[in-house]
Amino acid sequence: MILTIIIPTYNSQDTIIRAIDSCLECIQDIELIIVDDGSKDSTLKVIKGNYGKLLKLKKINIISTMHVGASNARNTGIANASGRWLMFLDSDDKFKNLSKVLKALKKIKDSSLNIINYSTNYENDLKDESSNVVRARALTKDNLGLKSREKTIWDSGPVYKVFKTNFLKVNNITFPVNVKVGEDLIFNQKCLQTNTKVLLKSDDIYEVIENKNSVTHAIIKQDIINDGIKLVTALQIMKIPTSLEQAFIAKNYISLLVRFIKSDKIKNEIIYSLKKYKQNFSINKPIAIFYNLRSCLGNAISLVGYFVWLKPEILIILLPIMKKIKYRN
């Protein structure tokens, strides 16, 4: 089996057919593992009613779990994958051209390649395979979201990528089930820390379709500040370069600030939470760190983030203005 497609589902009855159908052109060379995260709707009924023959042939396999989240669902998929390679497909998304991926996999000559990354921002897709290969750690800045969107060639999500199944299993690379926000980033960074070879491709193979109700977009038991602390703590364990760690601490601080602005939390609670974040993490030379975030976040929010970092109490004045001008619920 060349490729396993792992699809986590949760209450996906309205979108799962579109996701599965986008894989069927390559069904002879692939298997689909659908890990249902405790759906309460008719997701499983829809799958069984429309793909009975493929289920009997074991081309589509369903695994049902308790409602824990997308990380657990994806980890279950990895553990049960039998393809030489694997990909992740969100149940509300679809592949644009999976056949291109299969063709690329069949042409690979370098057995030491463990990841293929697709990005429309990658413009140097040369015919010579070796010319498109980089070492994984070189993509850390991309993974942390520290580049402008138009220059990023590695997205922090799990899609747009093909992973060698044995590479993930041998290195025990899984999604962290205790991190509810940014778990994809941590999974990717675990891959990048091995410094394996990554083949870069420029094809547009995947379409993200926003669905706030999906398992991959829902935040289970949302706890903004502790989610943010867990994310940075998980990243620190991997000992990435200090300069990138410091930049990510600042970027994550701004992300938390924006999430708080969009929430219904009161001023004092937000100020207390941001102070708690600062108690856990420090930034050396914050003016330089926040200044350099302008390229990926923009001037205004980077400047605001810097002043709030210095004195969170300034939100007593800024919060009503920011809610009104830009970050509305």
Side-chain angles (χ1 to χ4, degrees), residues 133-171:
V133 174
V134 299
R135 286 291 178 177
R137 287 181 186 170
L139 299 167
T140 295
K141 194 171 182 179
D142 297 65
N143 188 51
L144 300 181
L146 298 174
K147 285 186 177 181
S148 62
R149 183 171 296 181
E150 60 271 14
K151 292 183 179 180
T152 298
I153 59 175
W154 171 285
D155 182 80
S156 61
V159 299
Y160 297 102
K161 303 169 184 66
V162 194
F163 302 93
K164 191 172 285 183
T165 305
N166 195 53
F167 162 73
L168 297 180
K169 291 182 177 181
V170 168
N171 289 284

Side-chain angles (χ1 to χ4, degrees), residues 3-19:
L3 179 65
T4 296
I5 306 294
I6 297 170
I7 309 177
T9 61
Y10 178 68
N11 293 347
S12 308
Q13 64 180 22
D14 296 329
T15 62
I16 189 60
I17 289 179
R18 177 179 62 205

